[in-house]
Amino acid sequence: MSGAAFFDLDRTLMAGSSGLHWARAAARAGLIPRRRLYLDAWANLQFRLQGSTDETTQRVQERVSAIIAGHRTVEFARMAPTVLAGVLPRLYPRMLHVAWEHQDAGRRVYICTATTQETAELLATVLGFDGGIGTQLEVDDDGVLTGRLVGPFNYGEGKPVRMRELAAREGIDLAASWAYSDSASDLPMLRAVGHPVVVNPDAELARVAAEEGWEVLRFETLGRRLKIAAAVGAAAAVGAAARRAARRRAPGRRGARGE
């Protein structure tokens, strides 16, 4: 048995959320209202800054299930090129090299994500990975999505369930494997392998990683850029206030010299 490497997708392999790009494609196809797209864009910004939470992820999963129910799978398959056009430029080159280095060392590489099995497999094919593990959606005999899941939601405790299934099929030794993620919600995934690595971690995962002595990779720049912008904006505001105060004082001083 040999080890493998498992990569979360959002904020780990790519900046932001792949779900936003699905939402954009769905809005163009008329499956969701534009207002929902704007809310998803705001949620994506919060996600990039703070990471995911169980509550928000569950709400998204329930909302997506309601949206897809009754639609043919081919409708979503036709969105794939638009989604890829949004996702591929957001990939972290550094993480792709990490994944390919695992392959060069003889380990199979998998995307392990809460998004759909079809998306995980599509991205894995495009990136030259060995496979993808995603959430499996139920489809009826007519190729119509029911809105229900087949097996567990591939999130939290669901990820190691699917990883162990894959390991049993493919002869993978999880104790000799690596896992990469950004979120404390993926602690079950990280603890399922012998070599956990955290990437752009949220606050809770950073705390656990420090306690456990796990490797940490950091290169998400949006949060730092926003903090710098806020500091520059605050300094500019202080400077502007000082100049206004100086202008208010200036006439009085001129008047004193003229008396």
Side-chain angles (χ1 to χ4, degrees), residues 7-8 10-13 92 95 179-183 190 197-202 205 215-220:
F7 290 80
D8 176 48
D10 297 344
R11 267 183 32 126
T12 302
L13 278 175
Y92 292 124
M95 292 308 298
Y180 296 79
S181 181
D182 69 289
S183 174
L190 293 166
V197 182
V198 302
V199 182
N200 304 319
D202 59 27
L205 183 56
E215 182 181 355
V216 179
L217 302 178
R218 293 182 185 272
F219 43 87
E220 167 64 78

Side-chain angles (χ1 to χ4, degrees), residues 56-246:
T56 55
T57 301
Q58 183 63 33
R59 285 203 305 268
V60 169
Q61 192 268 320
E62 291 171 354
R63 179 165 55 80
V64 169
S65 292
I67 289 171
I68 66 174
H71 289 280
R72 296 177 300 152
T73 56
V74 69
E75 295 180 65
F76 293 92
R78 290 168 181 167
M79 296 180 195
T82 300
V83 175
L84 285 177
V87 168
L88 294 181
R90 310 303 299 164
L91 293 169
Y92 292 124
R94 181 175 175 183
M95 292 308 298
L96 293 179
H97 285 297
V98 169
W100 294 331
E101 285 172 358
H102 277 295
Q103 287 182 318
D104 291 343
R107 302 182 194 96
R108 281 166 286 183
V109 171
Y110 299 91
I111 296 174
C112 189
T113 173
T115 192
T116 66
Q117 180 67 31
E118 290 73 18
T119 300
E121 291 176 351
L122 176 64
L123 278 172
T125 299
V126 171
L127 300 180
F129 289 6
D130 296 278
I133 306 173
T135 299
Q136 295 180 304
L137 306 178
E138 183 181 78
V139 182
D140 68 17
D141 293 338
D142 296 319
V144 175
L145 292 158
T146 67
R148 295 186 293 271
L149 305 184
V150 177
F153 181 31
N154 203 46
Y155 174 86
E157 296 289 349
K159 285 191 176 183
V161 171
R162 299 291 309 287
M163 290 164 65
R164 285 191 289 269
E165 291 173 351
L166 176 70
R169 289 196 309 270
E170 302 295 333
I172 294 170
D173 181 0
L174 290 180
S177 295
W178 275 253
Y180 296 79
S181 181
D182 69 289
S183 174
S185 65
D186 273 337
L187 281 170
M189 169 187 175
L190 293 166
R191 287 178 169 145
V193 300
H195 305 281
V197 182
V198 302
V199 182
N200 304 319
D202 59 27
E204 175 62 15
L205 183 56
R207 181 189 66 77
V208 173
E211 292 177 353
E212 300 286 345
W214 292 347
E215 182 181 355
V216 179
L217 302 178
R218 293 182 185 272
F219 43 87
E220 167 64 78
T221 60
L222 178 61
R224 290 196 294 274
R225 289 201 302 267
L226 288 180
K227 289 175 183 176
I228 292 170
V232 170
V238 170
R243 289 192 294 274
R244 287 195 297 270

